[in-house]
Amino acid sequence: MKRQDIIDKLCEEEYLQKEEWIELLDGYAESDREYAARKAREISGLYFGRQVYIRGLIEFSSYCRNNCYYCGLRRDNEKAQRYRLTEEEILACCEKGYRLGFRTFVLQSGEDGWYTDDRMAAVIRRIKAQYPDCALTLSIGEKEEDAYRKFYEAGADRYLLRHETADVRHYGMLHPPQMSLAHRKECLRVLKAIGYQTGCGFMVGSPGQTARTLAEDMMFIRELHPHMIGIGPFLPHKDTPFGKKERGSYELTLFLLSLLRIMEKNVLLPSTTALGTIAPEGREAGILAGANVVMPNLSPVSVREKYSLYDHKICTGDEAAERIDSLRGRIERIGYKIVSARGDWKERR
Ligand code: 5AD
Ligand code: SF4
């Protein structure tokens, strides 16, 4: 089948077989990517009407007990600068974010043991008491089901946990043996069952990734049917085992964003920081490929550089929450509009 016919099929049936995914992703042409982007834009226009949701990202701790091979915050990276915001500091970020028009806050960190389940629940309760009209998203890694329940009962609405790759062998190339894909997938199922708006996702071009492993990702996503999907190019961090690996492809990231929009039509799909880091107009290109969310950085300026997942992560330009007006202008220039709404996932019409 021609690639554009496969894209049409994906659009109609919202499902492809593994071999079709591989055929589509292996050696695609620029014209295929444009074709997919056009379709993806039609779909996001239909569902979201050229509106772009914003989320204020609060990176509240750079401590992590894990040792993922790709990530600058990994435990064994002794050069990583560690910091941890206090509850008061986190609340101050929310206050600033609220004033700037944010109605979703994303609390993200490494897997930091200092923030016990009780401490997390306490922060969540305080934020939700102070900002009852805001959504709260957590992105704090793998926890026990009880903890996920406790956070949900405390008021958390959404949870992001990228699966990173849905291929077991590939998962093993990216993570030490203590971590398992099976557990990660289980966490995602539990999160969804509890009632969270749940997000998974992966890096594009991580070492060892192939069209076949990407096919697994797309098929896993189709099966999980998440509310949110975060993808961005892999970018090396010099103080990790993958410091000398090649970065992921910008174009492939855009192509995959479009295919995700075509498959999971009403999904919340951010144009990520990594995409904005790899190309100066990456954020806009992501929206034009079908994304409908941006997540500016609301962390205190003094710690921003320390949350270093990969080298050269942008943090002083328009991805800074305080520059939301500049970002707003950029988004408007491509014909879209940043809105203040909570931007919850909605059932399909
Ligand atoms: N390049 C790109 N993305 C990365 N992440 C972690 N390290 C890197 C890297 N080197 C992503 C992972 C993780 C999210 C918080 O950041 O997908 O889930
Ligand atoms: Fe920790 Fe997340 Fe980085 Fe893995 S990707 S080392 S879990 S912060």
Side-chain angles (χ1 to χ4, degrees):
M1 238 201 294
K2 271 180 49 201
R3 282 203 194 80
Q4 300 191 358
D5 294 335
I6 302 180
I7 294 170
D8 287 344
K9 180 176 174 192
L10 178 66
C11 191
E12 256 166 56
E13 299 179 16
E14 300 174 349
Y15 177 83
L16 294 179
Q17 298 189 343
K18 195 157 166 182
E19 295 310 318
E20 292 172 318
W21 276 117
I22 294 170
E23 204 179 326
L24 179 57
L25 295 169
D26 224 354
Y28 68 93
E30 188 63 19
S31 53
D32 301 321
R33 186 165 76 77
E34 274 163 20
Y35 185 77
R38 206 156 47 237
K39 278 216 172 270
R41 275 200 297 276
E42 271 170 37
I43 296 166
S44 62
L46 207 60
Y47 284 85
F48 305 101
R50 294 189 163 225
Q51 295 194 351
V52 174
Y53 299 129
I54 47 171
R55 323 300 195 192
L57 181 61
I58 305 170
E59 299 159 329
F60 70 94
S61 169
S62 69
Y63 286 88
C64 189
R65 68 186 174 102
N66 288 332
N67 228 349
C68 309
Y69 301 139
Y70 46 84
C71 174
L73 300 185
R74 63 199 304 273
R75 180 183 69 220
D76 285 354
N77 180 11
E78 288 170 5
K79 294 193 183 153
Q81 300 184 57
R82 309 291 175 176
Y83 70 89
R84 179 183 292 128
L85 302 186
T86 63
E87 198 173 306
E88 298 306 324
E89 288 170 321
I90 295 174
L91 274 141
C93 294
C94 296
E95 192 194 327
K96 175 173 142 190
Y98 194 89
R99 253 188 292 117
L100 290 167
F102 289 88
R103 294 296 178 268
T104 292
F105 303 120
V106 181
L107 295 186
Q108 184 173 85
S109 69
E111 293 194 11
D112 177 4
W114 189 90
Y115 264 106
T116 58
D117 299 345
D118 285 334
R119 283 180 174 143
M120 271 322 296
V123 182
I124 294 164
R125 273 192 293 269
R126 270 187 77 183
I127 295 176
K128 291 296 285 195
Q130 191 123 28
Y131 305 100
D133 55 332
C134 293
L136 188 53
T137 305
L138 301 179
S139 175
I140 57 176
E142 296 182 21
K143 307 275 169 187
E144 297 298 322
E145 178 163 353
D146 282 353
Y148 285 152
R149 280 192 194 284
K150 190 181 270 192
F151 304 154
Y152 191 75
E153 280 156 19
D157 303 277
R158 308 182 190 139
Y159 205 105
L160 303 174
L161 183 71
R162 290 190 179 181
H163 64 284
E164 312 297 358
T165 173
D167 180 281
V168 189
R169 268 195 54 238
H170 187 214
Y171 195 91
M173 294 168 67
L174 301 178
H175 303 96
Q178 294 79 9
M179 293 177 76
S180 86
L181 177 60
H183 189 251
R184 200 109 180 144
K185 285 183 167 176
E186 183 52 27
C187 286
L188 284 164
R189 293 211 173 84
V190 165
L191 287 163
K192 225 183 149 194
I194 291 172
Y196 284 99
Q197 293 172 49
T198 303
C200 65
F202 57 91
M203 291 172 288
V204 178
S206 59
Q209 186 174 74
T210 62
R212 190 165 285 275
T213 66
L214 281 172
E216 295 284 354
D217 288 317
M218 299 307 265
M219 295 185 80
F220 169 68
I221 288 171
R222 150 76 217 228
E223 185 198 315
L224 177 69
H225 202 46
H227 308 90
M228 307 174 281
I229 306 167
I231 70 164
F234 161 75
L235 295 164
H237 185 296
K238 60 179 178 6
D239 303 317
T240 65
F242 290 170
K244 295 250 156 60
K245 301 283 184 192
E246 218 171 299
R247 52 170 45 184
S249 152
Y250 177 55
E251 288 77 15
L252 180 57
T253 305
L254 295 173
F255 190 36
L256 287 164
L257 278 172
S258 298
L259 297 175
L260 287 166
R261 170 63 67 212
I262 292 168
M263 180 169 78
E264 300 288 313
K265 299 201 166 41
N266 56 340
V267 82
L268 297 162
L269 188 65
S271 186
T272 55
T273 309
L275 192 61
T277 298
I278 202 172
E281 303 207 327
R283 278 272 164 75
E284 290 95 322
I287 308 261
L288 292 170
N292 71 321
V293 174
V294 287
M295 299 169 68
N297 195 323
L298 251 188
S299 313
V301 178
S302 57
V303 304
R304 267 183 213 167
E305 273 190 10
K306 301 181 186 161
Y307 203 81
S308 177
L309 301 168
Y310 42 82
D311 292 331
H312 315 297
K313 179 167 160 271
I314 46 172
C315 65
T316 54
D318 288 346
E319 67 295 330
E322 58 276 12
R323 300 249 303 241
I324 186 73
D325 285 333
S326 172
L327 185 65
R328 191 172 274 123
R330 285 170 59 171
I331 300 294
E332 279 172 14
R333 278 195 285 286
I334 58 164
Y336 288 73
K337 192 171 169 41
I338 283 184
V339 295
S340 245
R342 267 176 58 133
D344 286 291
W345 181 86
K346 285 192 199 74
E347 206 70 60
R348 280 174 70 167
R349 286 163 283 168

